Amino acid sequence: LLFQVLSELLLRRILGVFLLAFAIYEYVRKPAQRPMPRRLWLPVSGFGAGLLLGSVGVPGPFLALVFLRYGLLKEELVAMIALFFLVGNLQRTLLYWQQESLPRQHLDLALLLGIAMLLGVYAGRWLFPYISRELFARLVLGMLVIFGVQFLFW
């Protein structure tokens, strides 16, 4: 439905501008100037993340900025993104399987990537305690900038 109104390229560019603007905004503001958003925005944010997951398949950067605005850092942010992806991707995988959009010949690809991803998760978990909260916040904002630029130009 969304692609009938907007092209994928335009949607990606809008998301890129949004991510860049948010990252710059968060970087220049002082922590004391960041009021906690109202819980009312959570369903709106959840819908937006689901819309991105279902249409473009890339809700991660959007989720990162939502969780940053709610003050989640490090363990809390990573855990919430993991929970969102578990719920969202399980439902989406079942939907694609039901619609026969998930061909059997791609299952070996998913299995190989999945095993490598599990190894990466454990390596990342080993590295995690050595990253300060401040560095973590800067890394997340830096990744939002990278994704924003990527969405704008590629």
Side-chain angles (χ1 to χ4, degrees):
L1 174 67
L2 190 60
F3 288 125
Q4 293 173 354
V5 179
L6 299 173
S7 71
E8 181 181 356
L9 179 62
L10 180 60
L11 188 60
R12 285 180 176 273
R13 288 198 172 146
I14 291 170
L15 182 58
V17 167
F18 186 69
L19 290 174
L20 287 172
F22 176 83
I24 292 167
Y25 175 77
E26 283 295 305
Y27 187 75
V28 297
R29 286 184 48 136
K30 295 182 179 128
Q33 295 175 320
R34 293 187 183 125
M36 183 71 73
R38 297 185 180 171
R39 287 187 154 313
L40 171 69
W41 287 107
L42 285 175
V44 174
S45 299
F47 178 80
L51 185 66
L52 288 172
L53 181 64
S55 62
V56 186
V58 187
F62 178 76
L63 284 173
L65 68 90
V66 168
F67 293 141
L68 282 174
R69 287 298 293 143
Y70 278 87
L72 302 183
L73 282 177
K74 277 196 81 167
E75 291 88 354
E76 300 94 357
L77 186 136
V78 172
M80 287 300 293
I81 287 178
L83 180 61
F84 180 88
F85 275 94
L86 175 67
V87 172
N89 285 328
L90 177 62
Q91 184 265 344
R92 188 168 64 148
T93 302
L94 293 173
L95 178 68
Y96 287 146
W97 190 275
Q98 179 190 21
Q99 294 175 344
E100 298 179 3
S101 300
L102 190 60
R104 240 184 234 289
Q105 64 264 30
H106 293 301
L107 293 181
D108 60 338
L109 175 68
L111 183 61
L112 290 172
L113 285 172
I115 291 170
M117 183 186 69
L118 287 175
L119 294 173
V121 166
Y122 281 101
R125 192 67 188 140
W126 174 81
L127 182 65
F128 201 65
Y130 301 105
I131 301 172
S132 70
R133 288 177 70 86
E134 294 78 22
L135 178 60
F136 182 84
R138 280 185 262 143
L139 288 171
V140 171
L141 288 175
M143 285 187 282
L144 290 177
V145 168
I146 290 169
F147 285 125
V149 169
Q150 182 180 8
F151 287 147
L152 273 178
F153 298 108
W154 288 283

